[in-house]
Amino acid sequence: MNEKVCVVGAGPAGIIAAGIAGSRGKDVILIDKNERIGKKLFITGKGRCNITNNAPIEDFFDNVMKNKNFLYSSFYSFSNRDIINLLETYGLKTKVERGNRIFPESDKSSDVIKAFQKFLSDNKVNILLNTNVNSIDIKNRKFIVNTNNDEMTFDKLVIATGGKSYPSTGSTGDGYKFAETFGHSITKIRPSLVPIEIKEDWIKDLQGLSLKNVTLSAHSKKRLLYEEFGEMIFTHYGISGPIVLSISNYLYRYINDGIRLLIDLKPALDNKKLDDRILRDFELNNNKKIKNSLDDLLPQKLIPIIIFLADIDPEKIVNQITKEERLKLLNSIKEFPLNFKSFRPIEEAIITSGGVVTKEINPSTMESKLVEGLYFAGEVIDVDALTGGYNLQIAYSTGYLAGNHV
Ligand SMILES: Cc1cc2nc3c(=O)[nH]c(=O)nc-3n(C[C@H](O)[C@H](O)[C@H](O)COP(=O)(O)OP(=O)(O)OC[C@H]3O[C@@H](n4cnc5c(N)ncnc54)[C@H](O)[C@@H]3O)c2cc1C
């Protein structure tokens, strides 16, 4: 009789694990509490799904934040090329965008999910939806899975329940609880790739403003901590968007150090060039009030705040602005200051940092070193990466190893 395998969690990690196990002739049941597979996958990349990255697989390690060595075997066993080939086999066309990010040609994450559905059905995986796994026991080397509907017995078990962020997608951290019942340890769980709250109360006036081609830098009292160039957006509480999420990853260690964030709104211009540019704009608007003279240089919403930060009366006529005031204006544009208040909660984080301790999992098979026949895949493990498609690749690659060894 075929071995019976249960995969808990139909996210990308569970889908790959189940399909690969099915392709090896295992009798696989894939269980998810949701009404459909890949609920988080559906919202990835703002609904477009940044499937993976086109960089050489060896470059992926530079983008992994924690326990990169643990991922050697998985990344090389099932790489970015492998997931693209698999999805193409099931009818998905892909394209490469800025930063080597790979997306479906249709810009629809639902097309990625459709390809995965075909992959699962081709490999005869039984999918059990609307089924919450409440607990898992082990008796006579068999896994007893208790759900809201049933009790089922399996020879092998894969835990692919994801992390704790965006709990409405089903990732509510249940896997940590299951792992603990098997004696596994869980590292401290915290949000990663998460928006940042800002102390300044005028921040809400900037809500909705998105900035492209700016440099965001983070500073402790003593030094520059990190800087990143790209896009960001202001929200009612602070800042979000790609460069903010990336920078959030580096700031955890320093949150008690009074982090100061600075935005260089014109990174392409050095101080001299920006001053020349401001002087030119001043010449053109010589008789206008300063508040009406910066439209070509800055987004509307920023103008009153930049003028406030430069300590200039917004009603002042441009030809009366002193050199000192002009230089303060320049400084506010090159070093637009924001004071870090806190991170947004884990519910709003893209990724959960922390999870099942990697030392307790065999990196070549994803099998537990504590319980034979028990496997882990995806975000439930203590690994996480930056944005760019790397987190999904972690899910597929670890899912592949689990599916290939159950
Ligand atoms: C808004 C957002 C955008 C993102 N965009 C990208 C992107 O573009 N590219 C990228 O690489 N990464 C992205 N990520 C990260 C990526 O989505 C995750 O890393 C990835 O989904 C993790 O896969 P997983 O299979 O481990 O877990 P999940 O996708 O979280 O899947 C876990 C599944 O387990 C199920 N489950 C949990 N507990 C139980 C239980 N007790 N019983 C039954 N089922 C259970 C859940 O319902 C869920 O379906 C994004 C994340 C978010 C939140």
Side-chain angles (χ1 to χ4, degrees):
M1 216 173 70
N2 285 346
E3 261 186 330
K4 286 183 76 183
V5 174
C6 176
V7 179
V8 187
I15 291 170
I16 296 292
I20 295 295
S23 73
R24 294 171 50 232
K26 305 286 170 187
D27 183 0
V28 187
I29 293 190
L30 174 62
I31 302 182
D32 203 291
K33 61 168 83 157
N34 292 324
E35 65 295 351
R36 55 195 160 99
I37 65 164
K39 200 164 177 184
K40 185 173 273 177
L41 197 58
F42 183 70
I43 60 163
T44 55
K46 296 201 177 114
R48 297 202 305 132
C49 185
N50 176 194
I51 302 167
T52 184
N53 198 282
N54 204 33
I57 196 75
E58 54 273 22
D59 292 0
F60 276 49
F61 299 99
D62 296 338
N63 292 282
V64 175
M65 300 304 294
K66 222 171 159 195
N67 294 320
K68 48 184 95 188
N69 291 343
F70 176 79
L71 291 169
Y72 266 89
S73 219
S74 32
F75 276 171
Y76 283 108
S77 301
F78 192 77
S79 70
N80 46 353
R81 289 287 121 238
D82 294 315
I83 187 64
I84 295 306
N85 288 343
L86 186 146
L87 288 166
E88 283 181 356
T89 307
Y90 290 98
L92 187 85
K93 290 204 171 79
T94 59
K95 60 177 174 182
V96 182
E97 290 193 3
R98 191 179 45 79
N100 272 329
R101 289 161 198 249
I102 298 183
F103 288 90
E105 207 175 79
S106 64
D107 285 328
K108 287 188 192 149
S109 59
S110 54
D111 287 341
V112 180
I113 297 170
K114 275 184 201 151
F116 277 143
Q117 260 155 348
K118 288 186 200 152
F119 166 65
L120 291 171
S121 108
D122 225 22
N123 290 300
K124 306 199 170 32
V125 172
N126 295 303
I127 306 173
L128 222 54
L129 297 172
N130 298 307
T131 306
N132 188 70
V133 173
N134 296 328
S135 63
I136 308 168
D137 302 318
I138 190 156
K139 258 187 219 152
N140 304 327
R141 301 179 131 217
K142 302 266 184 201
F143 295 94
I144 319 290
V145 174
N146 302 294
T147 73
N148 49 333
N149 302 315
D150 214 345
E151 186 182 284
M152 293 171 282
T153 304
F154 297 92
D155 302 298
K156 302 276 170 72
L157 182 91
V158 182
I159 297 180
T161 44
K164 242 189 146 181
S165 71
Y166 279 72
S168 58
T169 64
S171 325
T172 47
D174 298 3
Y176 308 134
K177 188 182 73 189
F178 302 146
E180 276 173 340
T181 61
F182 291 116
H184 277 276
S185 334
I186 310 297
T187 60
K188 191 173 181 324
I189 300 298
R190 65 162 176 84
S192 181
L193 303 179
V194 65
I196 291 175
E197 289 188 25
I198 294 300
K199 283 188 184 154
E200 282 77 7
D201 57 2
W202 44 253
I203 199 81
K204 51 186 173 309
D205 298 340
L206 296 178
Q207 182 175 356
L209 172 67
S210 70
L211 299 174
K212 285 198 172 120
N213 303 325
V214 295
T215 300
L216 176 67
S217 58
H219 306 254
S220 69
K221 282 190 190 97
K222 292 182 202 130
R223 64 184 177 96
L224 169 69
L225 301 173
Y226 191 73
E227 68 179 1
E228 182 99 8
F229 172 82
E231 283 175 42
M232 57 177 284
I233 186 163
F234 289 94
T235 63
H236 64 283
Y237 54 76
I239 49 176
S240 187
I243 59 175
V244 175
L245 299 181
S246 293
I247 225 168
S248 72
N249 227 307
Y250 294 89
L251 300 187
Y252 261 88
R253 274 163 281 172
Y254 306 103
I255 46 177
N256 298 322
D257 294 5
I259 301 167
R260 207 167 128 80
L261 297 158
L262 297 175
I263 308 172
D264 182 348
L265 294 160
K266 297 284 172 196
L269 304 178
D270 62 20
N271 282 13
K272 168 78 177 63
K273 282 193 184 130
L274 181 58
D275 196 30
D276 290 348
R277 169 71 206 270
I278 295 173
L279 279 169
R280 263 203 324 271
D281 284 17
F282 275 12
E283 256 171 52
L284 292 172
N285 299 296
N286 210 10
N287 294 317
K288 282 191 186 165
K289 291 177 180 167
I290 180 77
K291 68 175 187 184
N292 298 325
S293 68
L294 298 170
D295 293 7
D296 288 344
L297 189 64
L298 295 166
Q300 275 287 337
K301 277 190 178 174
L302 272 178
I303 294 172
I305 294 172
I306 294 274
I307 294 175
F308 163 75
L309 291 170
D311 207 11
I312 303 175
D313 175 1
E315 304 296 324
K316 198 164 183 178
I317 304 295
V318 165
N319 61 29
Q320 288 167 11
I321 300 280
T322 64
K323 180 175 179 193
E324 191 196 346
E325 284 173 327
R326 194 182 79 237
L327 293 179
K328 272 195 189 162
L329 191 75
L330 180 147
N331 194 49
S332 310
I333 297 171
K334 290 297 278 180
E335 295 191 345
F336 186 80
L338 301 167
N339 282 299
F340 175 92
K341 184 171 164 196
S342 61
F343 294 110
R344 292 296 280 177
I346 196 158
E347 286 73 17
E348 293 177 36
I350 299 292
I351 281 290
T352 304
S353 178
V356 180
V357 167
T358 51
K359 273 194 296 195
E360 298 171 357
I361 303 171
N362 180 339
S364 309
T365 61
M366 294 299 136
E367 187 174 16
S368 159
K369 289 183 183 171
L370 312 183
V371 177
E372 206 184 318
L374 172 67
Y375 294 76
F376 294 98
E379 203 177 319
V380 70
I381 304 171
D382 182 20
V383 278
D384 64 287
L386 294 176
T387 59
Y390 306 105
N391 284 299
L392 283 175
Q393 186 65 47
I394 291 176
Y396 319 129
S397 296
T398 53
Y400 174 84
L401 282 187
N404 210 22
H405 289 89
V406 278

